Amino acid sequence: MRSTIRCFLCVSTLIFLLNIATLSAQSLLPEQEGQRARFSAYIEIRDAYLSGGCMLLNDGNLLKGAVFNDFGISYFDFSYHFLKDKVKLHDVQKMMNKWYLKKILKKDLKALIHNMREGLPEYRDEKYRLYFKLTPIPESETEDADIEE
Amino acid sequence: MRNKLILFCGMMCLALTLSAQTQSKEAIRAKINKAAQEMRTMQCDFTQTKYSKMLNDQMVSKGRMCYKQKNMLRWEYVSPYTYTFILNDTQVLLKNEHRNDIIDTKQNKMFKEIARIMMNSVIGKCLDDKEYKVELVPEAGEWVARLTPLKKNMKQMFQKIILHFDMKKAWVTKVELQEKKGDRTVIVLKNVRTNHEIDNKMFSVR
C-alpha cells in the first residue's frame, strides 16, 4: 500500500514538473501562419541603447519582423527563414547600415529567435556586449483605447 | 474683335483666380505662424499609429504631450510601453523602464535635430523652415502642409512630413511621417488645450 502511494506520488510529481517545463518553454513567436505578435523592444549596444517596438508576422516559411523606435521611425526590418534557419536584414537605418554591424545583428537576431522559441524573451551577446529584449505586448493593449485621465 | 475680347476677359479671370489662391495661402501661412507665436503652452493627448509596409500591420501607442515656449517639450508614452522624452532648452531626458539618460543637444547634433523637428512639427513652425519644400493646400476642411526634406540626412529618413492644421484654430491636429521604404507613422493630437499654466516640473530633466 505504502509503496503504491509512493509510486503514485513520484509519477504525479514527474508529470507536474514536465508540465511546468512545457509551460515555461512556450514559444513567444507567432507559430501559426498569419499569426502576429507585438513587443516592446530594447537593445543595448555597449553604453548606448535602442528602444521602441517590434512587430512579428508568421508568413509561412518566413518570420517577418519590423523594429522601430518609440516615435515609430524604423531601425530595420528582417526576415527569418524557419527551414534554412537564416536571418536577412532589410531597409536598415543609415546609422546601423555597416557590414560589420549587420553581420553581428543577423547572428544575434537568430540567437534571440531561438531563445524566444524556448520562451526566453532576451539574448545577451557577451563578445560584443549587446543585449536584446523583446517584451510581449498583449493584443488588447495595442488596440485603440482612450487614455485614463 | 468679339472673340479677342472674350479671350482677354477669360485670361483676366484666370489671373485674378490664381492671384486670389496665392494670397489665400500666404494669409493662411501667416495665420498658422501667428498661432504658433501666440501659443505659450500646449497640452494634449495623442495616438500614434506605426504602419509597417513589410508586415502590412500596425501598432498603436498612446501618450500625452506638453509644450511650453520657447524650448520645453514633454512627450510621454503611457501605452503599450512607457517612454518619456523631455526637452528643456538644450538638455534632453530619455526615460524608459530600463534606464534614464540625459543628453546635451549642444554636443549631440542628432538629438538637437530630433528635438527641433518634434517641437516644430507639433506647434506648426515647420512652414518657414528652409530645410523643407512646403506645399500648403486646403483638403477636406483643413489645411494640409506637405513638407519634403531638402537636406541629405532628413531625405534619407523621410520622404515627406505631412502636417494637418485645424482651419479655425490654425494649430496642428495630425502629423504624418512618411518613410522612404513605405512605412508611415501617424500621430493624432486630441483634447488640445492651449495657454493653460504648466508647472516647470513637468519639464525637469533631473
Side-chain angles (χ1 to χ4, degrees):
Chain A
M1 183 66 180
R2 276 187 186 173
S3 62
T4 311
I5 292 169
R6 274 194 207 139
C7 184
F8 174 74
L9 281 170
C10 283
V11 169
S12 300
T13 307
L14 190 62
I15 292 170
F16 177 69
L17 288 170
L18 278 171
N19 279 336
I20 288 176
T22 311
L23 281 169
S24 65
Q26 203 168 31
S27 174
L28 295 170
L29 301 176
E31 290 292 346
Q32 291 180 10
E33 189 174 347
Q35 203 176 359
R36 299 166 190 274
R38 292 177 181 85
F39 304 84
S40 64
Y42 178 72
I43 304 172
E44 230 172 47
I45 307 165
R46 307 216 167 171
D47 297 327
Y49 75 96
L50 307 175
S51 70
C54 172
M55 291 190 273
L56 295 180
L57 165 68
N58 183 316
D59 197 18
N61 283 334
L62 286 179
L63 174 73
K64 290 182 179 175
V67 183
F68 44 90
N69 71 13
D70 301 275
F71 305 112
I73 309 305
S74 296
Y75 288 130
F76 58 87
D77 292 343
F78 70 89
S79 56
Y80 168 74
H81 199 290
F82 287 113
L83 298 174
K84 293 179 185 174
D85 190 27
K86 203 173 173 183
V87 169
K88 273 189 183 175
L89 295 174
H90 312 276
D91 294 310
V92 181
Q93 194 199 63
K94 193 200 170 195
M95 253 187 353
M96 302 170 72
N97 199 9
K98 318 283 180 199
W99 67 266
Y100 48 90
L101 280 176
K102 289 197 289 188
K103 193 176 171 185
I104 297 166
L105 189 56
K106 280 194 280 188
K107 181 187 80 60
D108 287 353
L109 277 174
K110 184 170 147 181
L112 175 65
I113 287 166
H114 289 171
N115 278 5
M116 287 177 75
R117 258 202 161 142
E118 302 302 317
L120 187 62
E122 58 191 340
Y123 172 70
R124 191 175 289 279
D125 180 341
E126 298 288 356
K127 184 179 178 186
Y128 295 106
R129 287 166 53 199
L130 299 170
Y131 172 68
F132 298 75
K133 183 164 186 181
L134 295 183
T135 307
I137 294 171
E139 189 67 35
S140 57
E141 285 190 32
T142 60
E143 289 166 6
D144 206 352
D146 289 328
I147 303 168
E148 287 176 3
E149 293 293 325
Chain B
M1 179 64 190
R2 191 175 164 215
N3 287 343
K4 281 183 183 173
L5 190 60
I6 291 168
L7 183 62
F8 177 73
C9 288
M11 284 176 70
M12 283 300 293
C13 284
L14 184 63
L16 280 168
T17 308
L18 285 170
S19 164
Q21 276 183 355
T22 308
Q23 283 176 349
S24 177
K25 280 181 189 175
E26 287 307 315
I28 289 300
R29 209 163 173 152
K31 192 176 172 186
I32 289 169
N33 285 339
K34 188 173 177 245
Q37 294 296 330
E38 289 175 356
M39 194 182 287
R40 288 180 289 104
T41 68
M42 180 183 180
Q43 297 171 84
C44 66
D45 302 323
F46 66 82
T47 302
Q48 176 180 293
T49 307
K50 158 73 182 184
Y51 170 71
S52 164
K53 187 180 175 185
M54 182 168 163
L55 274 63
N56 191 24
D57 196 9
Q58 64 188 35
M59 184 159 145
V60 178
S61 38
K62 307 272 182 182
R64 297 189 179 93
M65 188 275 284
C66 297
Y67 161 76
K68 195 168 185 178
Q69 263 189 11
K70 288 183 185 175
N71 287 327
M72 288 198 257
L73 179 71
R74 182 187 178 103
W75 191 268
E76 184 181 0
Y77 292 87
V78 298
S79 155
Y81 46 75
T82 54
Y83 178 80
T84 306
F85 173 100
I86 297 175
L87 169 70
N88 191 326
D89 196 21
T90 59
Q91 302 283 307
V92 169
L93 168 68
L94 304 174
K95 191 174 167 182
N96 62 31
E97 59 182 86
H98 299 274
R99 54 194 271 179
N100 297 350
D101 290 271
I102 297 173
I103 293 151
D104 186 343
T105 60
K106 283 190 282 192
Q107 286 164 23
N108 191 313
K109 280 185 182 175
M110 189 191 74
F111 268 99
K112 189 177 177 181
E113 190 63 20
I114 290 167
R116 194 179 69 83
I117 291 163
M118 284 182 71
M119 189 108 79
N120 289 348
S121 308
V122 159
I123 61 171
K125 260 184 165 178
C126 284
L127 301 192
D128 286 339
D129 198 327
K130 304 288 179 229
E131 295 179 10
Y132 300 96
K133 178 188 152 194
V134 181
E135 290 169 58
L136 188 57
V137 292
E139 250 180 52
E142 58 182 6
W143 283 93
V144 177
R146 290 192 168 77
L147 282 62
T148 307
L150 298 172
K151 273 181 108 172
K152 189 181 172 187
N153 58 347
M154 283 296 286
K155 267 168 114 168
Q156 279 165 346
M157 273 175 68
F158 300 114
Q159 190 171 47
K160 261 189 183 51
I161 297 172
I162 302 173
L163 305 180
H164 297 246
F165 291 89
D166 180 294
M167 264 190 178
K168 288 179 190 171
K169 291 166 184 169
W171 64 46
V172 177
T173 56
K174 187 159 85 172
V175 178
E176 283 182 65
L177 305 169
Q178 291 183 352
E179 295 178 55
K180 288 188 84 168
K181 62 177 186 147
D183 284 17
R184 68 176 185 274
T185 302
V186 179
I187 303 166
V188 177
L189 308 184
K190 300 187 281 191
N191 304 324
V192 179
R193 302 174 291 282
T194 58
N195 297 334
H196 285 59
E197 200 53 45
I198 303 177
D199 196 328
N200 282 349
K201 282 181 197 169
M202 290 291 282
F203 307 102
S204 171
V205 296
R206 300 289 162 195

